[in-house]
């Protein structure tokens, strides 16, 4: 598995990217963690509102959105439930287990991969540090 962690300049941009893939029929939202509804029951505005509610708790944070892709070998066949489980374990290991996050399975590449969208602003308004995120938990680099 190879992880790629990016920090978009807005939550709306990260959500729009994945939601557009869904509209094109090449992605599905397969899991919603710490949301009041299941992934398939959430609309775009409910997803955005959940994140924006936390983001509003820390106006000083210039970085408040995290977009992670977990990429697997082209020869790997991983079921949807297993991908959601892998995402949950990954998020726990990097210190995001209590954060809301969405997991999107993308079907538009030659290899299985998922995208995870979350915020690093916690319920108390404090930020989760993004410095070396994933590197400290999984060793050097972002490969596991």
């Amino acid at each position: 598995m190879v992880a790629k962690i990016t920090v978009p300049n807005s939550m709306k941009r990260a959500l729009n990217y994945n939601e557009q893939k869904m509209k094109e029929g090449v992605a599905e939202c397969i899991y919603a963690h710490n949301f009041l509804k299941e992934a398939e029951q959430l609309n775009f505005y409910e997803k955005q509102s959940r994140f924006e509610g936390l983001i509003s708790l820390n106006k000083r944070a210039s970085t408040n959105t995290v977009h992670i892709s977990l990429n697997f070998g082209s020869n790997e066949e991983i079921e949807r439930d297993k991908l959601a489980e892998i995402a949950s374990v990954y998020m726990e290991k990097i210190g995001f287990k209590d954060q809301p996050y969405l997991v999107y399975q993308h079907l538009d590449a030659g290899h299985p991969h998922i995208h995870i969208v979350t915020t690093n602003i916690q319920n108390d308004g404090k930020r989760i540090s993004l410095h070396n995120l994933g590197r400290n938990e999984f060793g050097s680099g972002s490969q596991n």
Side-chain angles (χ1 to χ4, degrees):
M1 177 180 85
V2 175
K4 180 181 176 190
I5 302 171
T6 58
V7 184
N9 57 11
S10 79
M11 177 57 68
K12 190 173 183 177
R13 175 173 282 182
L15 283 174
N16 274 332
Y17 172 78
N18 287 285
E19 295 290 314
Q20 185 59 41
K21 293 284 187 176
M22 286 178 51
K23 283 182 184 172
E24 294 169 9
V26 294
E28 296 176 40
C29 187
I30 63 170
Y31 183 65
H33 181 76
N34 269 347
F35 280 78
L36 295 176
K37 297 179 181 178
E38 297 297 319
E40 53 277 348
Q41 298 171 324
L42 291 165
N43 66 39
F44 175 84
Y45 299 103
E46 291 169 321
K47 294 170 183 176
Q48 183 178 3
S49 177
R50 176 71 173 108
F51 292 124
E52 294 295 343
L54 288 174
I55 290 169
S56 71
L57 297 175
N58 188 332
K59 300 278 190 205
R60 296 180 310 144
S62 59
T63 303
N64 55 34
T65 303
V66 182
H67 189 177
I68 302 166
S69 68
L70 300 181
N71 301 274
F72 306 92
S74 56
N75 59 340
E76 294 184 73
E77 290 186 29
I78 307 170
E79 297 291 323
R80 176 184 167 138
D81 290 344
K82 184 66 175 174
L83 289 170
E85 180 185 332
I86 290 167
S88 292
V89 170
Y90 184 85
M91 294 301 279
E92 183 174 345
K93 287 188 178 210
I94 65 169
F96 278 71
K97 76 173 183 152
D98 295 327
Q99 292 300 101
Y101 58 85
L102 297 168
V103 180
Y104 294 87
Q105 179 180 11
H106 284 223
L107 310 165
D108 59 348
H111 64 281
H113 67 287
I114 56 176
H115 289 244
I116 306 167
V117 177
T118 190
T119 180
N120 62 316
I121 308 300
Q122 301 173 87
N123 284 327
D124 60 4
K126 293 181 180 171
R127 293 181 319 110
I128 296 173
S129 174
L130 301 179
H131 184 69
N132 286 327
L133 184 64
R135 287 185 178 91
N136 298 333
E137 297 79 11
F138 295 101
S140 64
S142 57
Q143 294 186 356
N144 181 7

